[in-house]
């Protein structure tokens, strides 16, 4: 199978996470990297990678197989559509778009030009989440009755004492529902392999402003959220994230079935009870290379396996197991849109997935 030429849009997360891990894959060659916004730097290379100040010029000038789009969500639609129309396969950061109107168009365009579109839901690939998927597929917990998924974090000092930039602006796709909730919703849909049909959401801004040396920053994007809902098969769900705590409790996932109960803590430990005491489930670890620096090392576990799946999907198998395609990104977006609408209207909202093109 041939080596894939990759271009990256985004020198932030794209430069410090996507680039170093992509360069480790023997079937991927990072040919270029471009700024999201025009930079004043006249440098021609970025950490040894040919560098473009203008991402559009990179799409026009480089012969690429895959474009990795690592920008604020507000830019995803424009960049993805142009990359597809330029003949490239695309990996877009989560969430796929700003709303389902955009994501349906992105999905439709990928089908029209016969290019594959992937969404960076890399946490699917971690061994512990793969184990949960295997257990639910095998009905080891029986029929699922309820899922509770919570996270709380010590983000008060960071949120109260520094600027958040675009992450504080809803119009740019900021807020923790898009940043964290998108991963949560994808995992829930993937684990259960069925749609979420209705939600009741509450988005909250605990720290609405910061006044620093550069002036007042007013925030309209949430730093905490809660939503409940139902799956198509009837199981209930409750999700809650609180970022600006003095101290947090980390992540906890609880899955309740008719045969057993599962608890995952911080994506590190997994315990199950089938009526008796909770017992640990052994998980095979997947360690990052020792020379991979932070923050890339934190994401290596899932991201490397996902790009390996992308490599094989483009080269040989367009329906690689577990691969998060644009259709999955659209399903997640439909749930996120419903949660936002529910929070605005203080009402329970049915999730509208629209008319989706079937992948493959």
């Amino acid at each position: 199978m041939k080596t894939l030429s990759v271009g990256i849009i985004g020198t932030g997360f794209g430069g410090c996470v996507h680039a170093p891990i992509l360069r480790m894959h023997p079937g991927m060659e990072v040919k270029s990297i471009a700024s999201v916004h025009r930079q004043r730097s006249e440098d021609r290379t970025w950490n040894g990678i040919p560098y473009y100040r203008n991402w559009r010029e990179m799409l026009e000038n480089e012969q690429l197989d895959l474009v990795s789009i690592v920008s604020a969500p507000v830019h995803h639609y424009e960049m993805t559509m142009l990359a597809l129309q330029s003949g490239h396969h695309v990996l877009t950061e989560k969430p796929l778009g700003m709303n389902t109107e955009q994501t349906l168009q992105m999905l439709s365009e990928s089908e029209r030009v016969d290019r594959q579109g992937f969404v960076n839901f890399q946490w699917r690939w971690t061994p512990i989440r793969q184990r949960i998927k295997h257990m639910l597929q095998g009905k080891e917990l029986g029929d699922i009755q309820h899922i509770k998924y919570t996270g709380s974090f010590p983000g008060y000092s960071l949120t109260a004492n520094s600027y958040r930039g675009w992450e504080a602006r809803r119009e740019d796709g900021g807020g923790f529902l898009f940043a964290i909730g998108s991963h949560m919703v994808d995992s829930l849909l993937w684990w259960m392999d069925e749609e979420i049909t209705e939600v009741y959401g509450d988005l909250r801004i605990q720290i609405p402003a910061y006044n620093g040396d550069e002036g007042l920053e007013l925030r309209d994007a949430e730093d905490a959220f809660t939503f409940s809902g139902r799956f198509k098969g009837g199981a209930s769900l409750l999700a809650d994230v609180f970022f600006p705590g003095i101290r947090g409790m980390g992540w906890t996932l609880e899955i309740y079935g008719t045969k057993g109960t599962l608890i995952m803590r911080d994506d590190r430990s997994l315990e199950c009870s089938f009526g008796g005491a909770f017992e640990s489930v052994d998980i095979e670890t997947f360690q990052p290379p020792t020379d991979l620096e932070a923050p890339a090392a934190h994401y290596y576990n899932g991201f490397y396996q996902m790009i390996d799946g992308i490599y094989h999907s483009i080269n040989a198998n367009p329906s690689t197991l577990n691969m998060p395609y644009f259709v999955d990104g659209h399903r997640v977006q439909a749930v996120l849109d419903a949660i936002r609408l529910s929070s605005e209207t203080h009402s329970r909202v049915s999730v509208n997935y629209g008319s989706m093109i079937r992948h493959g």
Side-chain angles (χ1 to χ4, degrees), residues 103-111 326-327 330 356-357:
T103 57
L104 276 175
Q105 291 183 44
M106 294 155 83
L107 175 58
S108 177
E109 190 65 11
S110 70
E111 296 286 347
F326 274 10
V327 66
H330 170 69
M356 293 184 293
I357 297 175

Side-chain angles (χ1 to χ4, degrees), residues 152-193:
S152 60
F153 309 96
Y156 181 83
S157 179
L158 177 66
T159 311
N161 299 311
S162 61
Y163 292 103
R164 289 185 61 203
W166 70 264
E167 294 176 324
R169 298 190 294 268
R170 179 170 172 170
E171 66 179 6
D172 289 335
F176 282 82
L177 181 66
F178 272 19
I180 296 177
S182 56
H183 279 301
M184 297 171 73
V185 170
D186 177 68
S187 290
L188 291 167
L189 293 172
W190 173 62
W191 280 324
M192 289 292 286
D193 197 24

Side-chain angles (χ1 to χ4, degrees), residues 1-6 25-30 65 311 315:
M1 293 187 289
K2 74 167 189 174
T3 299
L4 300 181
S5 297
V6 184
H25 193 282
M28 302 278 195
E29 182 182 2
V30 179
D65 298 299
Y311 174 77
N315 269 315

Side-chain angles (χ1 to χ4, degrees), residues 65-334:
D65 298 299
L66 175 69
V67 175
S68 183
I69 295 172
V70 198
S71 65
V74 69
H75 302 301
H76 288 180
Y77 174 78
E78 179 186 17
M79 292 175 173
T80 297
M81 294 294 278
L82 187 55
L84 289 170
Q85 291 160 6
S86 300
H88 310 308
H89 302 286
V90 182
L91 167 62
T92 303
E93 265 295 342
K94 52 74 197 168
L96 181 56
M98 292 289 288
N99 51 58
T100 52
E101 181 180 356
Q102 289 187 352
T103 57
L104 276 175
Q105 291 183 44
M106 294 155 83
L107 175 58
S108 177
E109 190 65 11
S110 70
E111 296 286 347
R112 187 187 73 82
V113 301
D114 194 25
R115 298 288 91 181
Q116 294 188 53
F118 311 93
V119 189
N120 189 21
F121 291 128
Q122 78 270 4
W123 300 119
R124 288 187 180 196
W125 297 87
T126 60
I128 195 167
R129 296 196 182 207
Q130 289 279 327
R131 183 61 180 270
I132 294 171
K133 176 67 172 177
H134 180 77
M135 294 180 70
L136 267 59
Q137 280 184 319
K139 294 286 188 179
E140 293 182 39
L141 301 179
D143 295 326
I144 304 305
Q145 301 166 305
H146 179 66
I147 299 180
K148 183 179 179 182
Y149 199 1
T150 63
S152 60
F153 309 96
Y156 181 83
S157 179
L158 177 66
T159 311
N161 299 311
S162 61
Y163 292 103
R164 289 185 61 203
W166 70 264
E167 294 176 324
R169 298 190 294 268
R170 179 170 172 170
E171 66 179 6
D172 289 335
F176 282 82
L177 181 66
F178 272 19
I180 296 177
S182 56
H183 279 301
M184 297 171 73
V185 170
D186 177 68
S187 290
L188 291 167
L189 293 172
W190 173 62
W191 280 324
M192 289 292 286
D193 197 24
E194 63 182 65
E195 293 176 346
I196 295 171
T197 56
E198 60 179 27
V199 294
Y200 188 92
D202 179 29
L203 309 184
R204 305 181 298 282
I205 306 172
Q206 301 291 339
I207 303 177
Y210 169 67
N211 197 359
D213 293 339
E214 298 179 17
L216 180 65
E217 177 185 75
L218 297 176
R219 299 159 175 175
D220 63 356
E222 72 285 341
D223 50 27
F225 65 84
T226 305
F227 68 90
S228 59
R230 292 241 176 221
F231 289 94
K232 187 175 183 179
S236 58
L237 67 94
L238 174 65
D240 181 80
V241 167
F242 186 81
F243 182 76
I246 295 298
R247 183 169 181 177
M249 300 297 292
W251 287 108
T252 303
L253 171 73
E254 305 168 25
I255 302 180
Y256 298 89
T258 55
K259 293 181 180 179
T261 298
L262 174 153
I263 299 178
M264 178 179 72
R265 293 184 175 90
D266 290 324
D267 279 79
R268 295 177 182 173
S269 69
L270 188 63
E271 297 178 313
C272 287
S273 168
F274 298 95
F278 279 96
E279 296 184 3
S280 296
V281 178
D282 291 333
I283 303 297
E284 182 180 354
T285 58
F286 188 74
Q287 297 298 329
T290 55
D291 59 344
L292 187 63
E293 299 179 354
H298 173 69
Y299 295 94
Y300 179 83
N301 201 316
F303 189 70
Y304 183 88
Q305 295 180 83
M306 190 187 71
I307 63 173
D308 185 62
I310 290 174
Y311 174 77
H312 289 285
S313 184
I314 291 175
N315 269 315
N317 183 2
S319 58
T320 301
L321 186 65
N322 295 319
M323 183 57 57
Y325 294 104
F326 274 10
V327 66
D328 301 290
H330 170 69
R331 289 192 181 102
V332 170
Q333 192 70 54

